[in-house]
Amino acid sequence: MNIDQLVEHLKKQNLTEIERATGVRRQSIYALFQKHTMQLDTLNKLLHYLDLENSFERHVSTEEIYKNMRYYGAPINNKAEKSLSLEDTLASAIEISQADDFIASTIPYVIANNYSTLNLIKLFQECVKKDKVRLMGFYLNLACEFVPNNEAKTFLEMVSNMYKFNKQHWESATLKIPSPSIQSHYMQNPIALKWKVYSAGKLEDHIKRWHKWIQLRKTK
């Protein structure tokens, strides 16, 4: 269900009863009808009341992704704010990573610093929905280069074997190589080659960035 479908569904409901049961004022609902916007906590109240929490697909803005990545430890200057789970945050970051080099560079850092709470199966499910499994594998594999993790390595083997078995299914996640110079970097990154994902940096470039960020964190 998207926002348009939610609006149509709400128009069929008893708004007086919704206001009484949820505390969400009708003015807020009318604003949703007209502007298709609503505060997150208010929207969550409506979805809970309508029993639509698991069927509603809301748009996640780049700003929201940045704030959540900061909350989960990404070395960025944005204000930290938690409105998404760790898995939803990473999946959303992976989704925009092809167009946002900086957020792409922070994904393995956040993964490596959150192994203990990261639900790999849920992350996989979210990336399947977004058709970004290859990119997920690439970033998770990079995180394992930074901080080895046996559970993540076992999980990667499972996903890698699945990819080999269903090669055509994951083909749409492959990125195009824009130039011979970039291709030379790609060819020198064994993890990028494994997942057939374009990466502008060599493996050692990613590892150097990791150590730089770790040092910065220690000095704060």
Side-chain angles (χ1 to χ4, degrees), residues 5-15 18 33:
Q5 293 169 325
L6 175 62
V7 166
E8 291 305 312
H9 185 70
L10 277 169
K11 287 179 178 179
K12 300 174 184 177
Q13 307 301 312
N14 185 326
L15 300 187
I18 290 178
F33 291 170

Side-chain angles (χ1 to χ4, degrees), residues 170-184:
W170 308 122
E171 198 66 30
S172 62
T174 304
L175 298 179
K176 295 180 180 179
I177 311 303
S179 69
S181 61
I182 295 298
Q183 186 172 4
S184 67

Side-chain angles (χ1 to χ4, degrees), residues 48-105:
H48 180 73
Y49 174 78
L50 297 169
D51 196 25
L52 294 174
E53 290 170 301
N54 295 322
S55 62
F56 182 72
E57 299 176 10
R58 70 178 184 86
H59 172 71
V60 180
S61 68
T62 299
E63 181 181 5
E64 186 176 0
I65 294 170
Y66 266 74
K67 287 180 178 179
N68 279 272
M69 287 290 281
R70 177 69 183 88
Y71 176 85
Y72 290 110
I76 53 183
N77 294 326
N78 291 63
K79 176 184 176 183
E81 181 179 298
K82 181 184 178 183
S83 60
L84 300 169
S85 68
L86 173 60
E87 296 78 17
D88 286 336
T89 297
L90 286 169
S92 296
I94 289 169
E95 186 175 30
I96 68 168
S97 65
Q98 292 165 294
D100 191 323
D101 290 341
F102 182 69
I103 205 71
S105 69

